[in-house]
Amino acid sequence: MFETEKLADFAMQILQKLRARARQNPQRIVLFEGEEDRSLIAAEIIEREKLARLTLLGKADKIQTRLRALGITLGSSALLDPAGSGKLKPYAQRLYELRRSRGMTEPEAHETARLPRFFADLMVAAGDADGSVGGALTTTADTVRAALWTLGLAPGFSLVSSFFVMVSPQKNIGADGACLFADCAVVPQPSPAQLAEIALATAENARALLEVEPRVAVLSFSTKGSADHPLAAAVREATKTLRARAPHLIVDGELQLDAAVAPEIAARKAPGSAVSGLANVFIFPDLNSGNIAYKLAERFGGCTAIGAILQGLSRPANDLSRGASAEDIANVVVITAIQAASLKAQQAIKI
């Protein structure tokens, strides 16, 4: 019998650690699909466990009707209708200033700002919230577009990418069974420079979420030149760029997966590797390999996948799978809150 109970226990331990951290420093998170049942059930979980301070976007009467139907009472969450908010006009003006060079008119900015996904991210951009979460009813493209138009990219970054927190039943992999996979959801075919960016952002998130020193494996079908092919060469170039951008980061590539996770194989295939078969961050060369890998890990390896979580934005804004459960939404809120708290801590250090 597959060790399902053991995996569930590992995953729960990691999730409980993340929830405990969110609880210590509750952040202001906006759920922009506030009329949706899964969001409301998630809000009950978040309130009960004091994981974040929530704002639910939508028409208050519709939200209250659904709460009564679900038998849910929310005490601390704010309900906010973007169309009737006093913040709509300044938010629309902010959006107009950001987008007028791209041809957006003031009336278009006003209509766009009323859309919950844009309003939520404008709240974050204005400092009225610390992060946004949505996408159970919205495509990833629309969710990412709203974040890009309102929040923009983080300094030094040129693209939005994503990662999954993967929890393995084998505690010797990653950080007690937890690791990060990227990019498995957003960037189809990254250039070497983009792959280095994805790796850098994922390493920062590993440090923030797993509280470990990132050990980054940039993956390929080749290890240290064992194959002479342009695809392997691109991974080597990405690794070189990453080392130049983050010289103190523990990173190696190109590596095959076995050389990234098994010290005895790393000793044979990549002697002297900085990662030494102990990677906790796995960077895939393209979306094909990343998406297939995380689903294989789930279906064949029995791993739990949490995500996809967006990265590369100036402030936290995260997408949901349209198949997300209420628990999934609560987990993404927790990760968004930790991202927000980590960003504040970084900014305080710079000041």
Side-chain angles (χ1 to χ4, degrees):
M1 183 179 71
F2 190 76
E3 297 178 333
T4 304
E5 291 184 4
K6 182 185 286 189
L7 172 61
D9 184 52
F10 287 168
M12 186 55 64
Q13 288 177 23
I14 290 168
L15 288 171
Q16 288 304 325
K17 286 180 182 179
L18 292 172
R19 290 188 178 196
R21 289 176 59 199
R23 195 177 296 117
Q24 288 173 358
N25 187 11
Q27 301 293 299
R28 301 166 300 165
I29 306 298
V30 187
L31 292 176
F32 66 72
E33 293 161 333
E35 298 173 6
E36 208 272 341
D37 286 2
R38 289 168 293 173
S39 294
L40 297 175
I41 298 169
E44 183 185 37
I45 296 168
I46 293 159
E47 276 201 8
R48 183 175 65 244
E49 298 193 26
K50 298 179 171 60
L51 302 174
R53 292 177 283 161
L54 290 180
T55 297
L56 305 177
L57 298 188
K59 294 184 182 299
D61 58 343
K62 288 188 178 181
I63 294 174
Q64 294 290 3
T65 296
R66 291 312 306 154
L67 288 171
R68 286 192 294 270
L70 294 166
I72 294 173
T73 300
L74 297 180
S76 59
S77 298
L79 310 184
L80 179 59
D81 181 359
S85 170
K87 295 280 190 175
L88 178 57
K89 186 174 180 179
Y91 286 174
Q93 185 61 34
R94 184 186 191 99
L95 181 60
Y96 171 65
E97 295 297 334
L98 289 168
R99 300 297 300 176
R100 65 177 177 176
S101 64
R102 300 296 184 94
M104 180 174 279
T105 65
E106 288 191 79
E108 287 171 341
H110 188 272
E111 288 304 308
T112 303
R114 293 178 59 174
L115 298 173
R117 64 184 181 274
F118 281 92
F119 192 92
D121 289 337
L122 286 163
M123 288 180 69
V124 178
D128 296 327
D130 301 310
S132 74
V133 172
L137 300 173
T138 309
T139 67
T140 293
D142 284 341
T143 302
V144 171
R145 185 179 300 110
L148 276 173
W149 284 15
T150 56
L151 301 173
L153 295 164
F157 287 85
S158 65
L159 81 166
V160 174
S161 61
S162 71
F163 66 90
F164 279 84
V165 178
M166 304 296 296
V167 184
S168 170
Q170 301 182 60
K171 292 192 74 173
N172 61 315
I173 291 178
D176 291 329
C179 55
L180 268 56
F181 279 18
D183 178 5
C184 305
V186 177
V187 186
Q189 195 167 359
S191 67
Q194 290 174 328
L195 198 61
E197 272 198 26
I198 292 167
L200 182 57
T202 311
E204 291 174 355
N205 274 300
R207 185 177 284 110
L209 293 172
L210 303 182
E211 296 185 295
V212 296
E213 185 64 27
R215 301 177 68 88
V216 182
V218 191
L219 299 174
S220 175
F221 63 88
S222 168
T223 296
K224 297 296 188 177
S226 63
D228 184 15
H229 191 278
L231 291 177
V235 174
R236 288 194 292 273
E237 184 181 344
T239 305
K240 182 179 178 181
T241 301
L242 180 58
R243 286 184 175 133
R245 290 190 61 173
H248 301 298
L249 187 65
I250 300 172
V251 59
D252 205 3
E254 84 280 21
L255 292 176
Q256 291 167 288
L257 183 64
D258 54 359
V261 298
E264 67 279 9
I265 294 176
R268 293 199 301 270
K269 288 188 173 183
S273 169
V275 171
S276 301
L278 299 172
N280 51 36
V281 174
F282 298 88
I283 306 301
F284 296 88
D286 57 35
L287 193 55
N288 270 327
S289 57
N291 192 270
I292 292 168
Y294 101 80
K295 291 181 185 295
L296 273 173
E298 277 189 305
R299 303 300 176 180
F300 283 70
C303 293
T304 295
I306 305 167
I309 306 298
L310 298 181
Q311 57 186 5
L313 293 164
S314 66
R315 293 171 183 260
N318 280 315
D319 184 32
L320 297 169
S321 164
R322 278 174 282 176
S325 67
E327 281 287 341
D328 293 334
I329 295 171
N331 289 336
V332 173
V333 167
V334 165
I335 290 175
T336 306
I338 294 172
Q339 286 180 311
S342 177
L343 177 62
K344 287 180 182 179
Q346 292 171 17
Q347 291 172 338
I349 291 171
K350 290 177 182 178
I351 293 172

